[in-house]
Amino acid sequence: MIQNSDEALLMQALPITSSSVAADRHGDTSPTGQPQASWKRWAVCVISTSVAVVSAAITLSAIFAELPAIAFVYGAITAVSIDCALNALPPTGLPRSINIPEFFSFNHDSTADIVDSQGYEIVDVPGNGDCFFHAALVPYGQCLDWNAKTLRQQVYEEARQWLQEYENNHLHFNGHESSQDPVPEEVLYVYLTGHSRPGGMTGMEAIKCDGEWMDTIIVPLVARVLKKPVITVNDSGTIMNVIDARGLYFPIVDSKLKNLDLKALGDFVLLEHINGNHFRGCRKRDFSYSHKPGQEIDKYLHLRPCLSK
């Protein structure tokens, strides 16, 4: 169980709702359950729409002027532009409102820049299928004995215990009277026991297999093993999920990492999910072995996290 003082720090540092909000079940979408539409996506949509309008006008003019070749060319440009604009729209369609100043602003900080401004650094790890576990160990660079393989084994044992608890009494699993949502146990249970992984593996078999890429759905298990809050973010400074040391999701209101005071959190694990298939870790900047954000780190991967008993 996370200590009350640690929980208080997490609740003070994070803007959370006073009532339950549906937790993200997969870890790669926003806490509202809807994909985030990036400024790049909207830029493509607006530009493509503008091109479509202009080319459509030229097409009509060419038709009236009896210039079939020009009409054909600009008609094709119109069709392609409309298709690009539609594909650029987010799956949920147009939002109810758009922040115009923010939309046209190109001052979008990266996650690496944001954490650097608060005295932390993003650390890249080998992309060998174990990057999820390597990244989770990045903050613990001063202790010994654990590496990605041993952390994977610990998460596997935690998953076994989790399954036993769920199957014994899933109706009351992770019941909690606070504003925090419980782990979406049904989804995690299906992931661990179902044959949804490549090759027909179950999630449990995938966790046990060295070099097998992991999904963010198991972040609550990692938080329980490390006994630390875990924050998942993308590379553009958007918070995807916050999970406390008990594996409970915090429903968050402000998903901008730049508005989060990392120092107020105390000890935490931050996982940056990039390119859809790779993770990077984060730690306090220590100038005794400091390196540039994003630089790959190998010599600290054998070190063990300091776990509180």
Side-chain angles (χ1 to χ4, degrees):
M1 294 285 281
I2 188 173
Q3 296 180 356
N4 292 333
S5 59
D6 292 336
E7 180 180 355
L9 285 174
L10 188 60
M11 295 183 69
Q12 291 172 5
L14 289 169
I16 63 174
T17 57
S18 59
S19 60
S20 295
V21 176
D24 171 25
R25 294 172 182 244
H26 207 62
D28 299 332
T29 58
S30 67
T32 60
Q34 296 181 350
Q36 294 285 308
S38 68
W39 69 269
K40 294 180 181 179
R41 181 187 291 273
W42 286 111
V44 171
C45 182
V46 171
I47 293 173
S48 299
T49 301
S50 301
V51 173
V53 171
V54 173
S55 60
I58 296 176
T59 301
L60 290 175
S61 299
I63 292 175
F64 290 127
E66 297 182 352
L67 300 173
I70 295 178
F72 175 81
V73 171
Y74 280 94
I77 294 175
T78 301
V80 171
S81 299
I82 292 174
D83 182 69
C84 290
L86 292 175
N87 287 333
L89 285 173
T92 53
L94 290 170
R96 295 182 180 179
S97 62
I98 299 177
N99 188 326
I100 299 299
E102 182 177 309
F103 173 75
F104 286 103
S105 173
F106 289 89
N107 186 23
H108 293 270
D109 295 327
S110 68
T111 294
D113 291 334
I114 294 170
V115 301
D116 181 71
S117 69
Q118 297 197 43
Y120 294 81
E121 59 184 350
I122 292 295
V123 180
D124 202 1
V125 297
N128 57 5
D130 292 325
C131 60
F132 180 88
F133 300 101
H134 285 312
L137 291 178
V138 164
Y140 305 103
Q142 296 299 313
C143 304
L144 301 173
D145 296 343
W146 271 21
N147 56 23
K149 182 176 181 179
T150 50
L151 177 57
R152 183 186 283 269
Q153 292 171 347
Q154 291 295 322
V155 172
Y156 175 77
E157 294 300 324
E158 184 66 32
R160 289 181 58 186
Q161 179 180 343
W162 188 95
L163 284 175
Q164 184 177 2
E165 293 174 1
Y166 176 79
E167 292 172 348
N168 287 342
N169 193 11
H170 70 279
L171 292 178
H172 299 287
F173 181 79
N174 267 338
H176 195 252
E177 67 275 10
S178 75
S179 62
Q180 304 172 34
D181 287 336
V183 175
E185 61 269 20
E186 294 86 359
V187 175
L188 182 56
Y189 180 80
V190 170
Y191 175 81
L192 294 175
T193 60
H195 298 273
S196 59
R197 299 285 303 189
M201 284 195 301
T202 65
M204 287 293 293
E205 292 169 339
I207 294 175
K208 194 175 182 179
C209 182
D210 291 339
E212 186 68 24
W213 188 86
M214 285 288 99
D215 195 278
T216 52
I217 197 171
I218 70 165
V219 167
L221 299 175
V222 175
R224 285 163 59 117
V225 169
L226 297 179
K227 299 181 176 65
K228 302 293 181 185
V230 179
I231 306 169
T232 59
V233 300
N234 62 18
D235 59 353
S236 58
T238 299
I239 300 174
M240 312 311 292
N241 277 298
V242 179
I243 299 93
D244 74 8
R246 291 169 295 184
L248 301 177
Y249 285 82
F250 268 79
I252 56 177
V253 175
D254 190 348
S255 62
K256 294 180 180 179
L257 181 63
K258 65 181 181 181
N259 295 335
L260 175 63
D261 185 358
L262 296 176
K263 294 180 180 179
L265 291 177
D267 292 333
F268 65 92
V269 175
L270 187 145
L271 299 176
E272 182 192 32
H273 193 190
I274 63 174
N275 302 326
N277 62 356
H278 186 58
F279 293 92
R280 302 196 299 186
C282 176
R283 69 180 180 195
K284 289 183 178 179
R285 193 165 49 237
D286 186 338
F287 291 99
S288 65
Y289 53 86
S290 180
H291 57 282
K292 296 179 180 179
Q295 178 179 340
E296 187 170 304
I297 177 171
D298 291 305
K299 62 181 179 179
Y300 301 110
L301 295 179
H302 68 286
L303 301 178
R304 178 184 183 182
C306 302
L307 301 182
S308 57
K309 299 297 184 182

